[in-house]
């Protein structure tokens, strides 16, 4: 517990954590870690005096939010975007120990941490529920306000869907991979070694990190078409709730890995598994705001 006293709220196992150098002085001075009890902690020694401070940033299971009895677990570390107000944290819930579990509606979270000296632990009651893609003026105002605390999405479309990897944020887009178990349980097969009927479905989510909106046109079926005066078909992209995610293949997908090419383009590489030609790595091109400039030198 980093030598901290009074850390009685750190009672659940921490599986993975994120550590980074806040002020670029060569020393990692900030740590974020979620635990299997659905708590998200932040620790820092940003003044470099060797004394670490801790804050319980967020609690997924809470009476105030009506989630106290839900098995919301953080198995993977969050990703972080440093902002003017502090840190924007992205993390998702999912029970890696029970991938076939369907009784829990898991979440994707975008949570603001201001490192306030009077910080009060946040719950879902403090965040904006953007699950249904109802982005009213009031909702957008809250998300863009300095007093807003963030957003969350309930994964309630696909039964048992869960976050199964660490998220990745790049160019204002936060990427998550999820797994949804098959509707046919493995126990339905007499051969206990047979897994072909229960490989499930892997998906990729691409979300605007500030709002949880679809950041890419991942569902072309809802785009609109029109014919101009010259008889040309004009297609207009529509970004709606269904554009938040796309199917990757069967089995549990890997974490998204970012590749920036020499010309400044960007893509994700995600591993998938299973039969039917879906095994292997998927590459997905992603928007890149600017081209990279290559710098190099030669030392004699």
């Amino acid at each position: 517990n980093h030598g901290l006293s009074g850390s009685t709220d750190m009672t659940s196992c921490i599986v993975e954590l994120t550590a980074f150098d806040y002020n670029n002085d060569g020393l990692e001075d900030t740590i974020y870690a979620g635990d299997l009890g659905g708590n998200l902690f932040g620790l820092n020694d940003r003044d470099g005096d060797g004394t670490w401070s801790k804050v319980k940033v967020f609690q997924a299971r809470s009476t105030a939010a009506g989630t106290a009895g839900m098995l919301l677990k953080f198995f993977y570390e969050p990703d972080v975007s440093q902002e003017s107000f502090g840190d924007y944290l992205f993390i998702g819930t999912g029970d890696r120990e029970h991938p076939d579990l369907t009784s829990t509606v898991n979440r994707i979270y975008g949570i603001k941490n201001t490192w306030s000296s009077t910080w009060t632990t946040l719950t879902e009651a403090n965040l904006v529920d953007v699950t249904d893609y109802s982005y009213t003026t009031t909702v957008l105002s809250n998300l863009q306000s300095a007093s807003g605390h963030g957003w969350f999405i309930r994964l309630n479309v696909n039964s048992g869907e869960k976050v199964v990897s660490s998220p990745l944020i790049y160019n204002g887009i936060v990427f998550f991979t999820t797994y949804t178990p098959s509707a046919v349980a493995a126990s339905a097969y007499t051969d206990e070694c047979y897994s072909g009927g229960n490989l499930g479905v892997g998906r990729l989510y691409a979300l605007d990190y500030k709002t949880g909106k679809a950041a890419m046109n991942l569902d072309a079926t809802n785009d609109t078409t029109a014919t101009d005066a010259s008889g040309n078909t004009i297609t207009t992209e529509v970004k709606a709730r269904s554009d938040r995610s796309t199917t990757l293949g069967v089995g549990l997908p890997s974490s998204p890995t970012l590749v920036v090419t020499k010309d400044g383009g960007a893509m994700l590489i995600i591993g998938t598994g299973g039969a039917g030609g879906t095994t292997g790595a998927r590459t997905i091109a992603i928007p890149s705001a600017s081209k990279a400039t290559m710098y190099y030198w030669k030392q004699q």
Side-chain angles (χ1 to χ4, degrees), residues 227-241:
T227 304
D228 64 15
S230 301
N232 301 309
T233 300
I234 307 300
T235 300
T236 302
E237 291 186 356
V238 174
K239 292 179 182 177
R241 181 177 181 176

Side-chain angles (χ1 to χ4, degrees), residues 14 32-33 75 91 174 207 214 226 233-234 264 280 300:
I14 291 174
Y32 284 106
F75 267 93
I91 194 169
V174 59
L207 308 172
T233 300
I234 307 300
Q300 299 291 345

Side-chain angles (χ1 to χ4, degrees), residues 29-294:
D29 50 30
T30 306
I31 296 173
Y32 284 106
D35 69 17
L36 299 189
N39 304 303
L40 177 59
F41 297 98
L43 303 96
N44 84 81
D45 179 25
R46 292 184 170 183
D47 58 10
D49 66 356
T51 300
W52 288 76
S53 61
K54 176 185 71 71
V55 62
K56 186 176 180 180
V57 179
F58 179 76
Q59 181 176 332
R61 306 180 192 178
S62 73
T63 302
T67 56
M70 300 181 68
L71 294 179
L72 298 171
K73 302 180 180 182
F74 294 130
F75 267 93
Y76 300 92
E77 74 267 26
D79 203 0
V80 184
S81 174
Q82 292 183 252
E83 304 287 325
S84 58
F85 59 78
D87 300 327
Y88 220 143
L89 314 175
F90 305 94
I91 194 169
T93 68
D95 194 344
R96 185 172 67 191
E97 184 181 6
H98 302 96
D100 296 335
L101 186 70
T102 60
S103 58
T104 298
V105 178
N106 287 289
R107 270 69 164 158
I108 289 174
Y109 295 109
I111 304 165
K112 296 180 181 180
N113 178 23
T114 63
W115 291 111
S116 170
S117 59
T118 57
W119 184 264
T120 300
T121 301
L122 301 176
T123 71
E124 285 187 10
N126 303 111
L127 308 181
V128 179
D129 184 348
V130 296
T131 303
D132 296 331
Y133 220 84
S134 179
Y135 288 97
T136 64
T137 302
T138 301
V139 167
L140 290 173
S141 177
N142 182 298
L143 294 172
Q144 296 165 2
S145 170
S147 60
H149 297 295
W151 51 268
F152 73 98
I153 295 171
R154 289 173 285 115
L155 299 177
N156 59 0
V157 174
N158 308 298
S159 179
E161 186 173 12
K162 51 188 63 69
V163 175
V164 293
S165 70
S166 305
L168 169 71
I169 183 169
Y170 174 74
N171 192 30
I173 304 175
V174 59
F175 299 95
F176 289 84
T177 55
T178 69
Y179 171 74
T180 302
S182 169
V184 181
S187 59
Y189 295 90
T190 56
D191 183 351
E192 294 182 358
C193 297
Y194 180 71
S195 62
N198 198 38
L199 291 175
V201 178
R203 289 181 173 84
L204 170 69
Y205 281 74
L207 308 172
D208 183 300
Y209 84 113
K210 291 184 178 180
T211 64
K213 282 186 174 184
M216 297 170 59
N217 185 36
L218 297 179
D219 179 14
T221 64
N222 61 6
D223 294 346
T224 61
T225 59
T227 304
D228 64 15
S230 301
N232 301 309
T233 300
I234 307 300
T235 300
T236 302
E237 291 186 356
V238 174
K239 292 179 182 177
R241 181 177 181 176
S242 61
D243 289 281
R244 282 173 166 163
S245 68
T246 186
T247 300
L248 294 170
V250 300
L252 276 76
S254 69
S255 297
T257 298
L258 176 67
V259 176
V260 178
T261 60
K262 63 181 181 181
D263 63 352
M267 69 177 71
L268 297 179
I269 297 179
I270 303 170
T272 63
T278 59
T279 304
R282 286 282 308 274
T283 58
I284 297 176
I286 58 177
S288 185
S290 60
K291 296 296 183 181
T293 301
M294 184 179 295

